[in-house]
Amino acid sequence: MSYKEFLRKVVFVPVIFIFLAASCGKDKTPDQPNQPSQPIQPVSDADLKALPKDAGGTHTPVVLNATDNTIYGYYFYKPSGYDASTADYPLLISLTGGGVEGNSMTNPSDLNKILGNGIQYMIKNNAWAPKPAAPRYAMLVISPQITAPEVTYSPDDLNAFIKSIIAKYRVNIHRIYMTGLSTGGSNTFKYVQYYPNGYVAAIVTTAGVGPSTNFPAYKNFPIWAFVGKNDTQKYDPLLPHIDSINKYSTTIKAKVTVYPGVGHNCWDMTYSGSGMGKEDPNYDKFNMSIYDWLFQYAK
């Protein structure tokens, strides 16, 4: 049996989750498509205000190994107040683009490849908490690396990965979010399509586009997609993709923000917030932090 097959058997052992009120313990969100789920809805930020303020945390590599059962090696950002608190924290899964795959089990330094772009790049370069570009509330950030020789994240692997992260850290399972750039952005769309009732409550994609099938799966799911207008491979299919999703959405419409004159790399200006005011006015305005936007939703 291969290592990956072993992980799948461990992670997907059937478990019956019993719903408990928050005062009695942590409940679990269904993780299979088409199962009943708490509806995604706008929520207040009162629970987030109670979290310790993040004055700058730690960013730790967790290499792929035979005992961790996480399927991917990853970088883990832990806010400064996490260890002294007993609170459950929001979780942001940050997916990388292509070309930075690796196997940190056989070569631990491979994991550093993912630090060149995205939110993990911001954290590495001290542009995260307590900087203005970072979330106003503390959150965990997990950045998984695609395990070579694979070149993309699979929805099943991502779902198993999130399940293992919930088991390992104190995660507010009602506030799990996902974002991705390029390949990671496309895989973020794909995860929601395969697991519309899964763990994730809202997504932000940058320079990505989802599969052109099964649009009803995205119904009323919070999506904010960013793309450069000069990135024709992503811009051209993304607009009809969002339109198709919104034909089925009645309460929460998917958003798309377009940067004129920008090519494939639209993620730097999105994650840092520097793209605010530079978007095409014919599409959705970039008028609030993407993190504040994500915090509006829970399930």
Side-chain angles (χ1 to χ4, degrees):
M1 182 186 302
S2 70
Y3 168 67
K4 191 165 185 179
E5 289 171 336
F6 169 76
L7 288 182
R8 288 187 189 278
K9 289 182 180 294
V10 171
V11 172
F12 285 103
V13 171
V15 177
I16 299 174
F17 293 115
I18 301 173
F19 178 82
L20 298 174
S23 61
C24 299
K26 186 185 296 185
D27 60 330
K28 300 294 183 180
T29 302
D31 62 356
Q32 297 297 324
N34 305 317
Q35 289 186 351
S37 174
Q38 296 183 61
I40 297 172
Q41 55 190 332
V43 293
S44 80
D45 60 357
D47 59 322
L48 302 174
K49 290 178 180 178
L51 292 171
K53 186 174 179 60
D54 186 5
T58 58
H59 202 204
T60 306
V62 182
V63 300
L64 192 64
N65 61 82
T67 59
D68 210 29
N69 297 334
T70 55
I71 294 181
Y72 299 117
Y74 60 95
Y75 260 86
F76 169 50
Y77 177 77
K78 181 172 64 175
S80 60
Y82 178 87
D83 288 336
S85 169
T86 59
D88 293 338
Y89 279 69
L91 169 64
L92 179 61
I93 303 291
S94 175
L95 305 186
T96 68
V100 293
E101 304 84 19
N103 189 326
S104 58
M105 178 181 287
T106 57
N107 187 4
S109 64
D110 272 4
L111 197 52
N112 293 330
K113 293 178 181 178
I114 70 171
L115 298 176
N117 283 296
I119 290 172
Q120 51 274 13
Y121 174 83
M122 292 178 63
I123 296 172
K124 175 190 173 185
N125 289 278
N126 298 314
W128 199 244
K131 307 294 183 180
R136 72 172 66 190
Y137 302 118
M139 67 192 314
L140 308 176
V141 181
I142 299 285
S143 308
Q145 180 183 43
I146 299 170
T147 305
E150 295 185 18
V151 295
T152 188
Y153 302 93
S154 82
D156 289 344
D157 283 353
L158 282 172
N159 200 65
F161 178 73
I162 295 170
K163 183 184 290 188
S164 65
I165 293 299
I166 291 171
K168 187 171 182 179
Y169 304 109
R170 295 198 317 274
V171 175
N172 180 339
I173 55 96
H174 301 294
R175 290 187 176 275
I176 298 176
Y177 309 109
M178 185 180 288
T179 187
L181 63 92
S182 190
T183 296
S186 298
N187 291 162
T188 298
F189 270 115
K190 193 173 182 179
Y191 174 81
V192 173
Q193 187 191 75
Y194 277 72
Y195 288 92
N197 294 325
Y199 292 114
V200 174
I203 63 171
V204 169
T205 70
T206 60
V209 65
S212 57
T213 57
N214 195 22
F215 294 110
Y218 300 101
K219 180 180 178 181
N220 299 326
F221 193 93
I223 297 169
W224 195 355
F226 291 79
V227 69
K229 198 166 188 177
N230 291 357
D231 185 9
T232 55
Q233 288 188 331
K234 298 299 173 67
Y235 171 78
D236 289 344
L238 180 62
L239 275 298
H241 185 77
I242 296 297
D243 287 342
S244 296
I245 290 172
N246 282 335
K247 288 179 182 178
Y248 297 94
S249 297
T250 55
T251 58
I252 300 175
K253 295 289 187 180
K255 300 173 61 174
V256 61
T257 296
V258 177
Y259 298 114
V262 173
H264 192 50
N265 184 350
C266 67
W267 49 83
D268 285 345
M269 56 202 305
T270 301
Y271 292 137
S272 69
S274 64
M276 289 187 189
K278 299 176 182 177
E279 73 276 10
D280 187 326
N282 294 309
Y283 301 95
D284 289 293
K285 292 182 179 179
F286 188 11
N287 55 5
M288 69 182 301
S289 156
I290 61 167
Y291 313 107
D292 288 347
W293 180 83
L294 289 170
F295 285 146
Q296 292 179 114
Y297 299 101
K299 66 185 304 181

